[in-house]
Amino acid sequence: VRAACFDAEGRIFLVRHTYLPGWYMPGGGVERGETASEALEKELREEGNLVMTAPPDLLQCCLNRTASRRDHVLFYRVTVRQTAPRLPDREIAECGFFPLDALPEGVTPATLRRLGELETNGPYADLW
């Protein structure tokens, strides 16, 4: 699961991990026995102290060939609020909300593609 998380001001929430270069939208794997909705809620909480303020919109199911030949990403759009600042730790180097016209340097190409698709209301690519 991965989500384009927007706050009430229309800013997007991005995460920079300690183990990968670049800025990403929050997300992660669905664990065995976990639903996609549960995974989405968990990842938003863990990566940003985010809670959804409305039901998520599932936009696309993309194949991510860079991870494996079987990895699929459920891509959501979500409106969120942050319950507390997310401090850096072993996994998250930094994170925050950014205006779409002032993104941090190093946003990944896949994240930029998804933001472009959101801007035009699709179509959404089949490949991540």
Side-chain angles (χ1 to χ4, degrees):
V1 296
R2 194 160 297 276
C5 299
F6 292 94
D7 67 4
E9 297 174 38
R11 300 175 302 169
I12 187 142
F13 186 83
L14 297 175
V15 174
R16 190 173 65 80
H17 295 97
T18 58
Y19 53 87
L20 289 172
W23 288 87
Y24 296 80
M25 290 179 276
V30 179
E31 301 296 330
R32 189 174 296 219
E34 185 177 52
T35 67
S37 296
E38 291 168 338
L40 178 62
E41 186 177 341
K42 174 191 71 182
E43 293 296 334
L44 298 184
R45 181 181 62 250
E46 289 178 356
E47 294 195 357
N49 291 328
L50 303 175
V51 293
M52 293 181 271
T53 60
D57 290 323
L58 176 60
L59 302 175
Q60 181 62 299
C61 180
C62 306
L63 175 61
N64 183 5
R65 289 184 177 153
T66 61
S68 80
R69 294 185 331 207
R70 298 173 34 165
D71 185 56
H72 286 81
V73 178
L74 298 175
F75 179 48
Y76 293 90
R77 186 189 193 290
V78 184
T79 304
V80 297
R81 70 177 172 81
Q82 191 171 43
T83 60
R86 173 59 163 88
L87 301 176
D89 63 14
R90 293 179 299 120
E91 180 184 359
I92 306 297
E94 58 185 319
C95 60
F97 287 97
F98 299 92
L100 291 173
D101 62 355
L103 297 175
E105 189 174 321
V107 174
T108 66
T111 300
L112 291 173
R113 286 193 300 274
R114 299 298 81 79
L115 291 175
E117 293 166 353
L118 283 165
E119 187 176 341
T120 60
N121 242 357
Y124 298 94
D126 289 331
L127 298 177
W128 187 254

